[in-house]
Amino acid sequence: MKNLEPTIDLIINSYKTHGGINTAEDQDLPNKQSVVEILKDVQSLIFPGFFTEELVNSDNLRSVTGEKIYRITKALTRETLRSIGYYCKKNETTCKGETCRQRAANLVHSLIAEIPEIRRIASTDIQAALEGDPAAKSIEEIILAYPGFEAILVHRIAHFLFKQGLPLIPRIMSEYIHGKTGIDIHPGAKIGEFFFIDHGTGVVIGETTTIGRNVKIYQGVTLGALSVHKSMADKKRHPTIEDRVTIYAGATILGGKTIIGNDSTIGGNVWLTESVPPGSLIYNQYSQNSSQKKNT
Amino acid sequence: MKNLEPTIDLIINSYKTHGGINTAEDQDLPNKQSVVEILKDVQSLIFPGFFTEELVNSDNLRSVTGEKIYRITKALTRETLRSIGYYCKKNETTCKGETCRQRAANLVHSLIAEIPEIRRIASTDIQAALEGDPAAKSIEEIILAYPGFEAILVHRIAHFLFKQGLPLIPRIMSEYIHGKTGIDIHPGAKIGEFFFIDHGTGVVIGETTTIGRNVKIYQGVTLGALSVHKSMADKKRHPTIEDRVTIYAGATILGGKTIIGNDSTIGGNVWLTESVPPGSLIYNQYSQNSSQKKNT
Amino acid sequence: MKNLEPTIDLIINSYKTHGGINTAEDQDLPNKQSVVEILKDVQSLIFPGFFTEELVNSDNLRSVTGEKIYRITKALTRETLRSIGYYCKKNETTCKGETCRQRAANLVHSLIAEIPEIRRIASTDIQAALEGDPAAKSIEEIILAYPGFEAILVHRIAHFLFKQGLPLIPRIMSEYIHGKTGIDIHPGAKIGEFFFIDHGTGVVIGETTTIGRNVKIYQGVTLGALSVHKSMADKKRHPTIEDRVTIYAGATILGGKTIIGNDSTIGGNVWLTESVPPGSLIYNQYSQNSSQKKNT
Amino acid sequence: MKNLEPTIDLIINSYKTHGGINTAEDQDLPNKQSVVEILKDVQSLIFPGFFTEELVNSDNLRSVTGEKIYRITKALTRETLRSIGYYCKKNETTCKGETCRQRAANLVHSLIAEIPEIRRIASTDIQAALEGDPAAKSIEEIILAYPGFEAILVHRIAHFLFKQGLPLIPRIMSEYIHGKTGIDIHPGAKIGEFFFIDHGTGVVIGETTTIGRNVKIYQGVTLGALSVHKSMADKKRHPTIEDRVTIYAGATILGGKTIIGNDSTIGGNVWLTESVPPGSLIYNQYSQNSSQKKNT
Amino acid sequence: MKNLEPTIDLIINSYKTHGGINTAEDQDLPNKQSVVEILKDVQSLIFPGFFTEELVNSDNLRSVTGEKIYRITKALTRETLRSIGYYCKKNETTCKGETCRQRAANLVHSLIAEIPEIRRIASTDIQAALEGDPAAKSIEEIILAYPGFEAILVHRIAHFLFKQGLPLIPRIMSEYIHGKTGIDIHPGAKIGEFFFIDHGTGVVIGETTTIGRNVKIYQGVTLGALSVHKSMADKKRHPTIEDRVTIYAGATILGGKTIIGNDSTIGGNVWLTESVPPGSLIYNQYSQNSSQKKNT
Amino acid sequence: MKNLEPTIDLIINSYKTHGGINTAEDQDLPNKQSVVEILKDVQSLIFPGFFTEELVNSDNLRSVTGEKIYRITKALTRETLRSIGYYCKKNETTCKGETCRQRAANLVHSLIAEIPEIRRIASTDIQAALEGDPAAKSIEEIILAYPGFEAILVHRIAHFLFKQGLPLIPRIMSEYIHGKTGIDIHPGAKIGEFFFIDHGTGVVIGETTTIGRNVKIYQGVTLGALSVHKSMADKKRHPTIEDRVTIYAGATILGGKTIIGNDSTIGGNVWLTESVPPGSLIYNQYSQNSSQKKNT
């Protein structure tokens, strides 16, 4: 076997040459795997009995719940501290150890305290799935086997943390569920109750999107930006979807000024860059555009 | 650190308020992770030597196979019992412990006994992949690195269990492979031999779809429903694809009465809600629809 | 419980009947899980401090790096040997034990020696992501939470091994990241520096694709083949994308002779099977094609 | 390979033939491995920061402690319930589900509430070790590397549970630490403060032993019974050791009526079956008994 | 950090210099950890329901048992093959691959077939423990928390394999349980039914010892050899203990010609190198030998 | 379930009350489990191929060895730093971060560089075992299944670190192997080549013991101190054993001035507190001391 030392030296040197892409000295980033484990714990806090082997009953419910909350608190505080500490250094603000810890603790506690509200909204999303999909056989099936429902639940958690100004962790959460479901919702997006995504693969919902109540979207729908200049970073770049809108598979709706009015239906593969009034029905006229060559 | 007790109490209370989304007292749902492990074991039973570190040879083949079958039998019987037990309670049918166990044991045994047939059909799917993709270099590559092939194999397992009336578990299997491959096939879909899905991300195949032999489909193809009213739940809502049909990427075919006749070809991004006769070639006339602005 | 022995015998027999889909006697295939672990180790070698719990600083950097390189070398040599050994047997070339080991060792060493160059190119890809996405907040966010960036990085590793003629392992790597991100890049594709894929779900880039520098593509873009006859296996079947081209979501570009000239922009959902000159702007005229029925 | 079925049948049959040594139908015994894990958790609750990777500081102390207590409570309640449930069945007492749970919960809570007292006594044992062994360099060394100290600590936990009438679990704890240290203390033994065991291998302390304060014993000391008739099961069968006694290696003291008076010293390998008054010095006259054959 | 390469080279070189203590080229020794896992599986086969989390009942007993037997068969055959293969090479006997496999398979099968008989004998050992220890509260306590019982059980397994001529594995088993209990029984020792070891730490029972039925021994008893010349290796070097003998703590009995006759009792710390007739009571006269200095 | 908060508070408070037995704020002790893992790695570095599943051959020897050395270096440097850092704080010496790291790195490197010498001495110990035990069948058996050999090997590693002045870690190592084998050797003891301990349970060898070459000792031998006053801590308190001495089971030799001359033999259970000249044979006259009551 070759002597590996010269190669080791070359790689060490390359850490200096392309230094911008290294973690700085002793810098402590949030750990992806830990964030995912925490997220799973939060999910099982929201739906006790669904994601663990352990049986839950009225005797052990408080003990099981208490343990889970303490475990989440401990782990999420650690990752939050890393995330905030990292951020402080980056922006050279003064952020003393103690204040960072305090902020992390408060932020984590506010998430725990939000759980009952997240549970309430999640029950509206389950309602929407039950009504929206004839194949749905039970609440349990939706919780266990609907990727759209799981993606929305994770989004509601990540969005809460995003609103508190926590960097990195919400994005790690949204990328985890994107990888798992193919549904890519930026944690900045605002989404109303009774939301349902069916199948979901390929759905993209951008950072400044606003979605109302009782909206239903299908696989491959993009709610995106028209322009991607860095100068746009703080502006509304993604569309607004009002209440009771349905958007079928593959439709693309772009632009921060684009508003889809209440009670509209957007057909499959439609491409929209302008607002439509309430009650619109927008379809492509595909059949006319196809050149059909039959065998006869 | 804050006293977490009041927050724990609030969450416990919320379990009562939004009770519809909780697991009932001591109710025992099938465990997602266990179902996935069983599925992997079944895959390795179907293709011995592909998914484990262990070498397989004629000396140890029977011992290795016997162990695997006993392990699958034990674990799948446990999960099946949970799945059936859960179902019994939900629908308030009388289902005594013993009869449930018997039914679970029979159901699991019937899957094991079906393995040779599943292997036979899988060998036709491999044949279809080898012929359908110029980049395919060997049978081994297809088994190890073709997500379309894996999704079809899992579907054939899940579909068998679905036909036996087993709730939840087939859906957990199909969602697992959906998450892994981006290919969403409802376990209810009926799919013939020599089936091939290339690339696959975004494919959706609905519950009442029927697919014939020697069909080939590409990424982003949807075989879906036109209408999503709950009242449709027991009717055929998804299309029928006859033999030797090819459907290119992004095509959408909708409706329970839509039949794609034998030997037809459906082009990329085509949108179809009506039947086409055998031998049809259906393409969009995209080039004409594009407004090209050249720099000159 | 039923006597399982007759069923075991039936399955053992089916291994003989459908023999083409079994691993041969004692044949040793590369192990998927091991290849994925090695890949993660290589990623953490490229970005020290990002993918492990462990803090990296100037004191322990050489020791941590040396350990990682030795670990990768040992494990990848083992899998490479399996991959080559398997290939030798398949093609019945004479390949004695020792020469195979030598070849495996050299191949692995060449990958390690390539790491500094892969790091250099990766830093251009990060630059492209930072410039291309207004929502990107930091280099760290890109490394931790951009699936497009991770898919490109894995591709650059897999492509290097593919060029060396290593079978199976590059495909296992590309399928792993396909499953994780929904981005399917064949390890044969040639891709220039400063490459950016946004969102990414559903992207397909075929084996003989060539992509220039500073190219940006969105989710659902297909760079595919027009024809899929086996006779085409050794020919260029996928398009060429020249420098500074942007391709929006859902666009499909097909064919080995199709060239997208420098500085062109291809709009969303465009379908292209012919070349376009430098500086082209190609859009669909969707709005005109839609039949809008408003409420009024 | 041979058909294993007949052998399986023989073993199944032997479960019936030698039925007394099987677990009855669905009977649920406490799990050894779980009990050991709980014990380790309790140890780390008593000495925070000694047995885990995690740093403990004033910021996270309450969160870390709370989590540990909840985890112990949950797991120990489960094992206690199994232990009590098993006991109830064995002795055919009436013990309804709910009362059993209540009793288990109370028992576990009483152990948690005892932790401060166990800590107080443990600090006296550490003091005794520091004073008793010239080689002891620090409190930390005693906690981390003195098997005698660990065995006493585990005994104090097991003894508390034994006093509450909990069957099986205290014995599993004492056997665990016996296996780890070679020190065999029955959980029934009563042991005063400032107790020290040096080296410890081979020490045996019987069920009805009573040990005072400031006692020091060495390896191989036996405090045992003279008679082992079953009829003695409820009587005091093991000796009483009063305050400030030292017992050197290999000494054997037997019998329920044997009392070693205050401030006595028992020499190495002494064999005692009768009481000695306070202030005794008991040594063997070994040197006289040896037949020395020198080379000269 | 220092360049470690020269040190690596020195160590590599030392492998050559002190070559006698290295594993030869590609030589495959039985793996200690695997042997221990197999042993635990065999224990749980002998006492179903005692050593696993899983509940055993009449419904799943055959499935659980069958799985365990297949798993043991597979794993033990692999380790046995290593053990035999290693032995063949060492002694340069001709032992072709196939015959080795056959021999391994037969040897493993004979152990499985012996399980009912081992269970029968184990039930006599439990009976002896129940009768011999007033502190023993139940059969379950003996199986779960008596190291003497576990050591005897492991010995009965190891002894069976030792009799079949299997090298290394029986010794790995006996050392495992020696480490766990402090009881060192060479797998060659012949031990009759109804055997009981109380406490056990420090017990040593040599290779050619013979022990009759209904024998009881205490901690620290040695049944050893008088002479340790290599020339003695094939002769009887250790004592014979006849039926119904009790040997108290710390007694030492040495020599291949030493026979302890039926119904004898050997007192604590007695040192015996000659035979004693049936019915002997042998005690040290300790009390007379002690020089007692009282305080008065 | 009871509200656990008041109990949590009581325990938190007890951390303050009995503060001497807590880890100080953020103090970082060496981790027991890590030290044990490192020790196992060092053992497998000394005997490649004995303690891992992996086959070692001339092709992969350097790669496997290099990886192991880097892994040990990294992990042991971390634990050493904790151990030194802890010591610095305790003794309030000035020890800046950088110097500590330097010292840790040098200390670890010196151990790695000592491996060839440790291997050389270990080969003499194996020789001694082979010659000393008629039951020993091969070198491999000694390495795999002789607890005495393993205890000596660990002692040679721990003693080297002890001589370098490293606190805590050598004691953690010696306690680990004490727990595993029942052999308690203080890392300070000086032990010559060709050392053999047979059976070993209960052996105690004190901190200032000196043992020559070719010494053989049996189970239960104590080489201890006469006096245990703290004032003795820096003096020689334990005996000196010269070359070619054999000490049989249960013998006790005490005192720092006690010297056992060359070529002496000390019989079983002998109690010695004074020196004996070279060539002594010291035995107890047990048979005369026994009161034998025969049945006749």
Side-chain angles (χ1 to χ4, degrees), chain F residues 79-233:
Chain F
E79 298 303 326
T80 297
L81 203 50
R82 286 172 165 175
S83 191
I84 291 175
Y86 152 78
Y87 187 77
C88 289
K89 282 188 208 167
K90 285 287 293 185
N91 296 284
E92 279 160 1
T93 58
T94 321
C95 168
K96 292 184 185 173
E98 249 197 64
T99 314
C100 275
R101 282 180 194 261
Q102 207 58 48
R103 197 181 148 205
N106 287 336
L107 211 152
V108 170
H109 190 261
S110 71
L111 175 66
I112 303 291
E114 185 76 3
I115 297 289
E117 173 63 5
I118 292 177
R119 277 176 51 76
R120 190 190 62 73
I121 301 180
S123 73
T124 72
D125 296 331
I126 289 172
Q127 205 56 39
L130 264 182
E131 287 165 10
D133 182 9
K137 265 123 193 141
S138 65
I139 290 176
E140 285 79 7
E141 184 187 344
I142 289 164
I143 297 178
L144 286 173
Y146 271 65
F149 174 71
E150 189 175 4
I152 297 167
L153 183 66
V154 167
H155 172 72
R156 301 206 183 279
I157 296 163
H159 179 60
F160 180 85
L161 295 173
F162 182 90
K163 280 192 300 181
Q164 314 290 319
L166 181 61
L168 281 178
I169 288 178
R171 282 287 288 130
I172 292 174
M173 288 176 170
S174 65
E175 258 326 302
Y176 159 70
I177 202 68
H178 179 197
K180 196 173 167 197
T181 64
I183 298 172
D184 182 356
I185 313 178
H186 193 285
K190 289 172 196 144
I191 300 180
E193 302 176 356
F194 293 93
F195 186 49
F196 177 47
I197 302 174
D198 204 1
H199 306 299
T201 315
V203 163
V204 174
I205 300 177
E207 182 179 7
T208 62
T209 305
T210 304
I211 293 177
R213 297 161 55 94
N214 284 288
V215 170
K216 175 157 75 172
I217 71 178
Y218 285 79
Q219 67 272 22
V221 164
T222 297
L223 307 178
L226 271 169
S227 160
V228 293
H229 290 292
K230 264 292 185 196
S231 60
M232 292 290 290

Side-chain angles (χ1 to χ4, degrees), chain C residues 54 57 59-60 62-68 70-71 73-74 77-78 98 101-102, chain F residues 54 57 59-60 62-68 70-71 73-74 77-78 98 101-102:
Chain C
E54 174 173 41
N57 53 47
D59 275 301
N60 67 7
R62 200 176 195 285
S63 163
V64 167
T65 306
E67 188 215 354
K68 221 176 282 165
Y70 270 102
R71 190 172 58 223
T73 298
K74 189 175 72 167
T77 305
R78 184 189 63 228
E98 249 195 64
R101 282 180 195 262
Q102 207 58 48
Chain F
E54 174 174 43
N57 52 48
D59 276 300
N60 68 7
R62 199 174 196 288
S63 162
V64 167
T65 306
E67 187 214 356
K68 222 176 280 166
Y70 269 102
R71 189 172 58 222
T73 298
K74 188 175 73 167
T77 303
R78 183 189 64 227
E98 249 197 64
R101 282 180 194 261
Q102 207 58 48

Side-chain angles (χ1 to χ4, degrees), chain A residues 15-30:
Chain A
Y15 289 155
K16 289 171 203 140
T17 322
H18 301 286
I21 55 174
N22 295 313
T23 311
E25 181 80 1
D26 271 316
Q27 185 160 311
D28 204 3
L29 287 167

Side-chain angles (χ1 to χ4, degrees), chain D residues 7-277:
Chain D
T7 315
I8 297 176
D9 288 336
L10 282 174
I11 292 175
I12 299 278
N13 285 340
S14 102
Y15 289 155
K16 287 170 205 143
T17 322
H18 301 285
I21 54 172
N22 295 312
T23 311
E25 180 80 2
D26 270 317
Q27 187 162 308
D28 204 4
L29 288 166
N31 184 273
K32 271 176 104 157
Q33 194 50 44
S34 300
V35 170
V36 168
E37 293 307 318
I38 291 163
L39 186 58
K40 287 178 178 168
D41 249 9
V42 172
Q43 285 183 267
S44 119
L45 181 62
I46 291 175
F47 297 114
F50 273 88
F51 298 105
T52 50
E53 266 292 339
E54 175 174 40
L55 286 184
V56 180
N57 53 47
S58 54
D59 275 301
N60 67 6
L61 185 58
R62 200 173 195 288
S63 162
V64 167
T65 305
E67 186 214 357
K68 223 175 280 165
I69 289 174
Y70 271 103
R71 190 171 57 222
I72 292 168
T73 299
K74 188 175 71 167
L76 188 51
T77 305
R78 184 188 63 226
E79 299 301 327
T80 297
L81 204 49
R82 288 172 165 176
S83 191
I84 291 174
Y86 151 80
Y87 188 76
C88 290
K89 282 189 208 166
K90 285 288 292 186
N91 296 285
E92 278 160 1
T93 59
T94 319
C95 169
K96 292 183 187 174
E98 249 195 65
T99 314
C100 275
R101 283 181 194 261
Q102 208 56 47
R103 198 182 147 204
N106 288 336
L107 211 152
V108 170
H109 189 260
S110 71
L111 175 67
I112 303 291
E114 185 76 4
I115 297 289
E117 173 64 4
I118 292 178
R119 277 177 51 78
R120 191 192 61 73
I121 301 180
S123 74
T124 72
D125 296 331
I126 288 172
Q127 206 53 40
L130 265 181
E131 286 165 11
D133 181 9
K137 264 117 196 151
S138 66
I139 289 175
E140 285 80 5
E141 185 186 343
I142 289 164
I143 298 177
L144 286 173
Y146 271 65
F149 174 72
E150 189 175 4
I152 298 167
L153 183 65
V154 168
H155 172 73
R156 301 207 185 277
I157 297 163
H159 179 60
F160 180 85
L161 295 173
F162 182 90
K163 278 192 300 180
Q164 313 292 316
L166 180 62
L168 281 178
I169 288 178
R171 283 286 289 131
I172 291 174
M173 288 177 169
S174 66
E175 257 326 301
Y176 159 71
I177 202 67
H178 179 198
K180 195 173 167 197
T181 64
I183 298 171
D184 181 357
I185 313 179
H186 193 284
K190 289 173 195 144
I191 301 180
E193 302 177 358
F194 292 95
F195 186 48
F196 177 46
I197 302 173
D198 205 1
H199 307 299
T201 314
V203 163
V204 174
I205 300 177
E207 182 178 5
T208 63
T209 305
T210 305
I211 294 176
R213 297 163 53 97
N214 284 287
V215 169
K216 175 156 74 171
I217 71 177
Y218 286 80
Q219 69 270 21
V221 164
T222 297
L223 307 178
L226 269 169
S227 161
V228 293
H229 290 291
K230 265 290 184 197
S231 60
M232 294 288 292
D234 294 333
K235 300 193 180 140
K236 187 167 194 318
R237 309 182 305 279
H238 307 94
T240 297
I241 314 296
E242 294 187 348
D243 297 350
R244 295 173 302 284
V245 169
T246 298
I247 309 175
Y248 285 101
T252 302
I253 302 173
L254 306 178
K257 294 178 179 167
T258 304
I259 299 171
I260 308 299
N262 287 324
D263 302 296
S264 294
T265 299
I266 311 300
N269 289 351
V270 163
W271 177 275
L272 265 178
T273 58
E274 289 170 18
S275 297
V276 302

